[in-house]
Amino acid sequence: MASRCILQIALLLSFTTSLSLSYDLLQLQQQQRSSNSACLKLLRQVKGKPEHCQQDRMDFKFPEEIKQPRPFQKEMAALVIQEMLQNIFVIIRKEFSTTVWNKTIVDDLLDKLHQQMDRLKSTILQERPEDTNMTTLRLKSYYWRISRYLTARENSICAWTVVQAELISKFPIINSLTDYFQD
Amino acid sequence: MLASLEAMALVLVAGAWRGSLAAADGKSQKAPETVEVSIIDDVFTLQWNGSQESVGNVTYSADYATSEMDNWIKLPGCQHITGSKCDFFPLINFYEEIKFRVRAEEENSTSSWYYVDPFIPFQKARLGPPEVRLEAEDKAVIIYLFRPGKRDGTSIWDMDALSFEFSLVFWENSSHGEEQEIKTNFYISKMYDLSTETTYCLKAKARLSWKVSAYSPVYCINTTAEHKLLPPENVTFGARNQSYVLTWEYRDVNVTFRAQWLHAFSKLTPWDNSNEWKQIPNCENVRTTYCVFPQSVFQKKEYYFRVQASDGNDTSFWSKEKAVQTEMYSTILPPVVSMKSTNDSLHVFVKAPKKQFDTFTYEIILWENASHTERKLVSKRSDIIIPGLKPLTPYCIKARVLLQDKWNKTSVFSAVVCEKTKPGAAASIPWVIPVIVILLLAVIAFCVMKLLWKCFNYVFFPVFKPPCSIEHFSEQPFGNLLLSTSEEQTEKCFIIENTQSVIIVEEPEETDEDYRKYSSQSSQDSGNYSNEDESLGNQISEALLQLKPQALSCPGELVLGLSSLGLHSS
């Protein structure tokens, strides 16, 4: 009984010390999450007409290995998040049309995405070796398909409504990836 | 003559036969060798070596297939090529695998296909040099960079627009022109403080993760003559109350100014952002060398500002751009503090009134109400427990927000909150661990002491004395020997069986498992009883050693055992 008690104390001590050491990562995680919810709020403000756009839906084939929970190293999780944010930024910047978007909202969204990418670059991704692996390649492929879809449909409201739903549906994945910041 | 004619006819027929045979075969051509695909930016080049044996009019054709389609597609621009290479510009998903096949053709016959190993174009592609456009002012040169690849939205590098890094080499085109090397992520840069009417040259290369391009060709430009109207200088940015103030310096008086702003991230994107600069409200056609605008207009993090002078007819060049991170200047509101006292510690709650920024740290000043010695605490958490305080003492607290990012900006202190600690001698958190350790040691010590006490008792103060038992024996009615299962007396008893084992009949009161084991083990030792008194005494004492002290309190039963012992031994 005595040994059990000591074991419990030892576990508690190690847990609290590891908590205090990784506090910066906890803050980064919180920042990421608040940035995500802000981006989501903005994304939802696309002037879409979802009722009329049912036939335009499409499967863009998001990479399966990111959807399913699997242990990620924190650098890998940050790389995946960075890739996703970059591509979302590029798509919105490249393909947005003023008929569908309010320019102020677009600028707001782009600014938030840019800030978060900067934060990742100056923390976890500082010493990034910068080589593309299969996961980031598949992510790029996914976002390329979305971009082509928008171009082919001339950035119409329906196309943007579909893309808006698609982009929004992937934000919970970004949130769950931030769990891996704690290692 | 007829024979020769016949012979000729035969040869002709044979020749025709052979020809038709060859036509029917269809594979008389040799497949091309060493087919390679190289990609520079958006241009795919297919190159091959024709086989040595082919002569004359051999042409080559190529097909491609992607992982998304099942069949081979004819490669446009690479059908029936007479040379040994062809260029094409496929509109495909550059991040998915692609494969090629090439074959040689001649008239009606074709060779077998040569299949190129599948690959991912994005991985194989190499960077071409970036494009540069220069624009000259009198003392500055604007550098417009264009990433490699097409700019119509179908380039292989489209999705990586943000990730490009450019290395520039800039020099004055004279004998003593030293080279300046600049690394930038911006698609628009500006070189300031140059000489008027001088030639400056630039070359640039692009980098995308590990891919590096070659240097672009050298571009040169002449700076203009000095412009009459000078640009404003020393643009500074500051905050005052709830507004921002942009100030600059200018020598002449009869000019108006206008100021513009730009989102910082605009410089990172290659789309046309020359007209992305926006006019600041209240800063158009002002005569003062400053302008004031509300903070609410600029709520993002990073901006660039520039100012231009105008005298009605002429405008100056733009001033140097001022990069501003509004976080640095905006006033931080103080936090709200509340406290709860628990025993001899204080639980402090700090709440920022409005969630302005995400990277908060709080500085908490604590002091006893009576004395003025202050204790400073820095914490990132918004609820803190301060331990180790004196009980029943009033303490006061005030807090402020620290932005420890790059500038040591702080808010003003919050209102002071005072609270009295509760009485109590309960240990605070850092004392819990030694207390638990002491308790554990106490428990262990107690067990050890108990064990020693038992041993001590067994060895030195056995309750059982042989003469006493014999006396008790005479008191006991004989009936007890027969009724060995009476309830009152069988509480702590034992039976000796076969003179070789001692078995405990009843469950002992204490849960001392070791005792049971001990007795069953040592029962082996009790071995063979002999008739001798000495040995009997030994046996008795051995049997007694196996009993608990309480067991000795039923001497009647013991007598039972003894009698059986005696019976057996005799």
Side-chain angles (χ1 to χ4, degrees):
Chain A
M1 192 198 97
S3 57
R4 225 187 308 145
C5 193
I6 291 172
L7 184 67
Q8 284 173 350
I9 294 164
L11 278 172
L12 189 70
L13 272 174
S14 62
F15 183 63
T16 45
T17 43
S18 67
L19 267 185
S20 60
L21 284 173
S22 56
Y23 195 73
D24 279 327
L25 288 171
L26 182 67
Q27 199 169 52
L28 187 69
Q29 192 177 30
Q30 286 171 347
Q31 282 169 0
Q32 180 73 62
R33 292 204 174 155
S34 71
S35 170
N36 274 355
S37 50
C39 289
L40 264 177
K41 229 195 272 184
L42 291 165
L43 258 179
R44 290 202 167 100
Q45 293 181 45
V46 169
K47 300 180 229 164
K49 288 185 173 63
E51 318 85 55
H52 303 300
C53 303
Q54 294 304 314
Q55 61 272 25
D56 288 353
R57 268 206 239 131
M58 183 159 148
D59 174 25
F60 296 103
K61 299 193 198 105
F62 188 79
E64 283 299 320
E65 68 260 36
I66 304 175
K67 253 197 254 179
Q68 271 135 38
R70 154 195 119 166
F72 272 110
Q73 291 240 317
K74 70 169 183 278
E75 288 84 8
M76 183 63 185
L79 260 174
V80 170
I81 295 175
Q82 184 82 319
E83 192 67 46
M84 290 175 78
L85 295 176
Q86 262 176 10
N87 281 286
I88 295 171
F89 185 105
V90 167
I91 287 176
I92 293 173
R93 188 71 161 90
K94 191 161 103 97
E95 311 274 3
F96 98 96
S97 64
T98 44
T99 51
V100 184
W101 291 84
N102 180 337
K103 181 104 182 17
T104 327
I105 294 177
V106 170
D107 283 346
D108 215 343
L109 183 53
L110 292 176
D111 181 80
K112 289 218 158 41
L113 290 168
H114 171 239
Q115 272 178 47
Q116 195 50 35
M117 288 192 277
D118 244 358
R119 251 186 238 126
L120 283 172
K121 237 189 261 183
S122 59
T123 53
I124 302 182
L125 295 177
Q126 263 175 40
E127 307 104 11
R128 186 175 146 189
E130 298 222 37
D131 54 353
T132 35
N133 53 50
M134 283 317 291
T135 310
T136 48
L137 218 54
R138 280 188 216 114
L139 266 175
K140 285 188 203 281
S141 182
Y142 163 77
Y143 285 107
W144 184 89
R145 282 189 278 268
I146 295 179
S147 181
R148 285 306 302 163
Y149 172 84
L150 281 167
T151 312
R153 283 164 177 70
E154 290 169 349
N155 305 331
S156 66
I157 287 181
C158 268
W160 262 115
T161 309
V162 170
V163 169
Q164 173 198 31
E166 182 72 29
L167 293 177
I168 286 174
S169 70
K170 300 299 175 276
F171 270 86
I173 298 177
I174 300 182
N175 266 340
S176 63
L177 279 171
T178 59
D179 285 340
Y180 297 108
F181 284 178
Q182 300 295 323
D183 249 335
Chain B
M1 172 110 146
L2 202 62
S4 61
L5 267 173
E6 279 175 11
M8 260 173 59
L10 260 171
V11 167
L12 275 171
V13 167
W17 258 108
R18 231 186 292 140
S20 65
L21 264 175
D25 185 23
K27 297 270 189 260
S28 61
Q29 285 297 323
K30 285 274 179 159
E33 292 158 7
T34 60
V35 182
E36 272 174 8
V37 184
S38 68
I39 311 173
I40 300 181
D41 294 335
D42 301 306
V43 181
F44 286 55
T45 305
L46 200 60
Q47 267 177 313
W48 58 86
N49 287 337
S51 81
Q52 304 291 356
E53 296 168 24
S54 53
V55 259
N57 303 332
V58 187
T59 60
Y60 300 90
S61 293
D63 290 347
Y64 75 99
T66 64
S67 53
E68 285 161 5
M69 30 177 156
D70 297 323
N71 48 332
W72 291 93
I73 301 175
K74 289 200 183 303
L75 200 51
C78 286
Q79 300 298 311
H80 313 298
I81 304 288
T82 49
S84 63
K85 75 177 184 98
C86 67
D87 289 341
F88 53 97
F89 314 88
L91 199 61
I92 49 166
N93 187 339
F94 303 104
Y95 309 97
E96 299 288 337
E97 256 187 15
I98 193 172
K99 44 190 182 186
F100 294 92
R101 63 180 187 184
V102 188
R103 70 174 172 193
E105 302 143 338
E106 188 181 24
E107 290 175 6
N108 288 334
S109 66
T110 60
S111 72
S112 55
W113 289 106
Y114 180 105
Y115 290 91
V116 183
D117 288 333
F119 59 89
I120 296 179
F122 182 79
Q123 281 181 324
K124 205 175 219 261
R126 284 175 293 153
L127 273 182
E131 208 182 292
V132 179
R133 183 168 70 87
L134 297 174
E135 200 177 286
E137 295 182 352
D138 56 354
K139 289 176 191 157
V141 167
I142 308 175
I143 304 165
Y144 294 93
L145 291 165
F146 299 91
R147 59 152 177 79
K150 288 183 284 175
R151 275 171 255 148
D152 60 357
T154 60
S155 172
I156 192 173
W157 309 126
D158 264 344
M159 303 303 289
D160 290 279
L162 285 181
S163 319
F164 273 96
E165 202 181 86
F166 300 99
S167 295
L168 313 172
V169 181
F170 187 80
W171 67 95
E172 190 189 319
N173 196 19
S174 61
S175 52
H176 57 270
E178 42 183 69
E179 293 185 347
Q180 268 186 69
E181 276 190 44
I182 304 134
K183 275 212 173 97
T184 175
N185 280 10
F186 296 156
Y187 284 85
I188 298 185
S189 308
K190 206 163 168 182
M191 302 298 294
Y192 291 102
D193 301 324
L194 306 178
S195 320
T196 55
E197 292 174 308
T198 323
T199 310
Y200 289 93
C201 294
L202 174 104
K203 63 178 181 181
K205 68 177 175 185
R207 200 175 84 95
L208 180 66
S209 64
W210 52 264
K211 298 184 207 277
V212 184
S213 77
Y215 270 111
S216 68
V218 176
Y219 298 84
C220 292
I221 197 164
N222 285 336
T223 48
T224 64
E226 187 162 345
H227 203 75
K228 262 183 298 173
L229 215 54
L230 294 172
E233 286 179 345
N234 284 340
V235 179
T236 50
F237 189 84
R240 201 199 299 163
N241 301 330
Q242 294 298 311
S243 312
Y244 289 129
V245 182
L246 194 69
T247 49
W248 55 91
E249 286 170 9
Y250 207 76
R251 264 186 247 129
D252 292 347
V253 274
N254 280 334
V255 287
T256 59
F257 303 97
R258 66 173 178 146
Q260 291 184 339
W261 66 275
L262 180 76
H263 281 297
F265 63 77
S266 295
K267 289 188 165 241
L268 292 171
T269 54
W271 294 277
D272 180 27
N273 53 14
S274 55
N275 53 359
E276 296 242 334
W277 286 91
K278 295 184 244 298
Q279 188 58 43
I280 304 177
N282 310 341
C283 288
E284 192 156 18
N285 286 331
V286 292
R287 287 203 169 269
T288 54
T289 55
Y290 65 88
C291 66
V292 182
F293 41 90
Q295 284 194 12
S296 52
V297 182
F298 295 101
Q299 289 182 0
K300 307 294 173 294
K301 288 249 179 123
E302 216 180 324
Y303 297 96
Y304 286 92
F305 294 96
R306 65 181 189 179
V307 190
Q308 183 183 55
S310 163
D311 68 356
N313 296 328
D314 201 11
T315 55
S316 73
F317 288 122
W318 287 100
S319 66
K320 281 191 193 173
E321 287 161 16
K322 175 84 181 134
V324 169
Q325 299 199 324
T326 53
E327 222 179 14
M328 187 173 157
Y329 300 96
S330 53
T331 49
I332 317 170
L333 296 167
V336 173
V337 183
S338 60
M339 271 206 300
K340 229 174 33 174
S341 61
T342 56
N343 297 327
D344 65 344
S345 59
L346 284 171
H347 202 148
V348 179
F349 302 93
V350 188
K351 200 178 94 155
K354 186 178 93 169
K355 191 159 170 54
Q356 283 174 295
F357 314 100
D358 348 65
T359 52
F360 276 136
T361 19
Y362 301 104
E363 186 183 284
I364 300 155
I365 311 272
L366 170 81
W367 67 96
E368 280 178 57
N369 205 7
S371 81
H372 285 283
T373 47
E374 293 182 346
R375 219 170 99 180
K376 203 194 303 190
L377 290 151
V378 176
S379 162
K380 283 184 185 165
R381 291 185 169 90
S382 57
D383 68 278
I384 312 113
I385 295 175
I386 308 173
L389 301 174
K390 295 185 215 161
L392 283 175
T393 320
Y395 281 94
C396 290
I397 244 179
K398 64 180 180 182
R400 64 178 177 175
V401 178
L402 291 180
L403 271 189
Q404 281 185 330
D405 277 350
K406 297 164 200 174
W407 326 274
N408 291 327
K409 281 219 77 201
T410 61
S411 71
V412 293
F413 274 108
S414 65
V416 176
V417 174
C418 294
E419 186 86 26
K420 203 168 171 185
T421 48
K422 290 210 168 76
S428 56
I429 291 167
W431 289 7
V432 165
I433 295 148
V435 162
I436 290 175
V437 169
I438 289 166
L439 279 173
L440 287 169
L441 287 173
V443 165
I444 295 166
F446 179 67
C447 291
V448 167
M449 286 302 296
K450 218 167 127 186
L451 199 66
L452 284 173
W453 176 248
K454 275 190 235 173
C455 292
F456 190 70
N457 272 337
Y458 292 147
V459 173
F460 292 108
F461 302 107
V463 172
F464 177 74
K465 290 176 192 151
C468 298
S469 69
I470 293 169
E471 284 170 24
H472 285 132
F473 175 65
S474 60
E475 284 170 19
Q476 287 291 331
F478 229 66
N480 276 347
L481 290 171
L482 302 172
L483 299 167
S484 54
T485 54
S486 74
E487 282 177 4
E488 299 106 49
Q489 291 176 349
T490 55
E491 221 183 328
K492 300 139 193 158
C493 293
F494 67 93
I495 295 173
I496 301 175
E497 227 179 58
N498 291 334
T499 70
Q500 282 199 2
S501 56
V502 176
I503 301 165
I504 301 167
V505 178
E506 293 288 339
E507 183 90 16
E509 273 175 27
E510 292 155 14
T511 57
D512 202 349
E513 293 160 17
D514 291 342
Y515 169 64
R516 268 226 163 132
K517 284 187 218 143
Y518 175 62
S519 55
S520 60
Q521 280 166 11
S522 54
S523 67
Q524 310 284 331
D525 296 333
S526 34
N528 303 312
Y529 290 112
S530 67
N531 285 338
E532 316 228 331
D533 280 357
E534 218 179 57
S535 54
L536 185 66
N538 283 341
Q539 287 157 35
I540 292 168
S541 52
E542 249 182 303
L544 286 175
L545 277 170
Q546 294 160 22
L547 291 172
K548 295 171 295 181
Q550 287 88 329
L552 296 173
S553 63
C554 60
E557 285 73 18
L558 193 67
V559 166
L560 204 71
L562 258 184
S563 62
S564 60
L565 247 182
L567 283 167
H568 283 243
S569 61
S570 63

